[in-house]
Amino acid sequence: MPQDGFLAGVFDLFHVGHLDVLERARTACDRLVVGVLTDEWAMDAWGARPFVPLVERVQILEHLRAVDEVVVIDDVDAEVLTGKLVFAADLDGILGADDLTDVPAGSLRVLPDARLSRSTILRAAIDQRQSRSSVA
């Protein structure tokens, strides 16, 4: 039976690290569904809206070969995760294992560290946003 995978995040200021994580997740499953968290979720978690609007973040992800489907979600709940291999990555705006506490242990796979962008301007923007939040 084909294995669906699921990875959730905000995917703001998309960079090579996001691409690495998505490609690693895709190689570990037959079909990758990406959940893009809403601006409101980011506002609650970070205290600020993403730099890139939700509709554009979705469009970026929809055009990647590694991604089979994109869904917009307000939160990651058990219904979204049922029957899927759930990926976690501690990377800018992608939910890590600590954020996915309701996922059965056998369904959760933590992805290895990814590259970070070399852009000093992008890194500064990401670091500034993360300093206001406990959720990266």
Side-chain angles (χ1 to χ4, degrees), residues 26-121:
R26 182 61 179 85
T27 62
C29 62
D30 299 307
R31 183 173 174 272
L32 181 62
V33 177
V34 176
V36 181
L37 291 154
T38 63
D39 293 350
E40 292 74 24
W41 184 94
M43 186 72 178
D44 289 344
W46 295 336
R49 288 197 173 286
F51 291 102
V52 179
L54 176 64
V55 67
E56 293 179 20
R57 291 183 280 127
V58 168
Q59 287 175 339
I60 289 166
L61 290 162
E62 285 175 336
H63 286 87
L64 299 176
R65 283 187 301 248
V67 177
D68 295 297
E69 182 181 352
V70 178
V71 295
V72 174
I73 55 174
D74 289 326
D75 199 4
V76 181
D77 60 30
E79 185 178 322
V80 172
L81 306 177
T82 302
K84 293 181 178 69
L85 177 61
V86 180
F87 298 101
D90 239 347
L91 180 70
D92 314 320
I94 298 178
L95 299 188
D98 292 344
D99 303 306
L100 298 168
T101 54
D102 295 334
V103 178
S107 298
L108 184 64
R109 182 170 304 172
V110 178
L111 296 169
D113 290 340
R115 295 180 285 172
L116 297 177
S117 174
R118 293 184 192 171
S119 166
T120 55
I121 294 170

Side-chain angles (χ1 to χ4, degrees), residues 10 18 20 23 32 62-63 69 77 81 95 122 127 130 133:
V10 178
H18 292 122
D20 281 354
E23 288 177 345
L32 181 62
E62 285 175 336
H63 286 87
E69 182 181 352
D77 60 30
L81 306 177
L95 299 188
L122 181 59
D127 291 344
Q130 287 179 344
S133 166

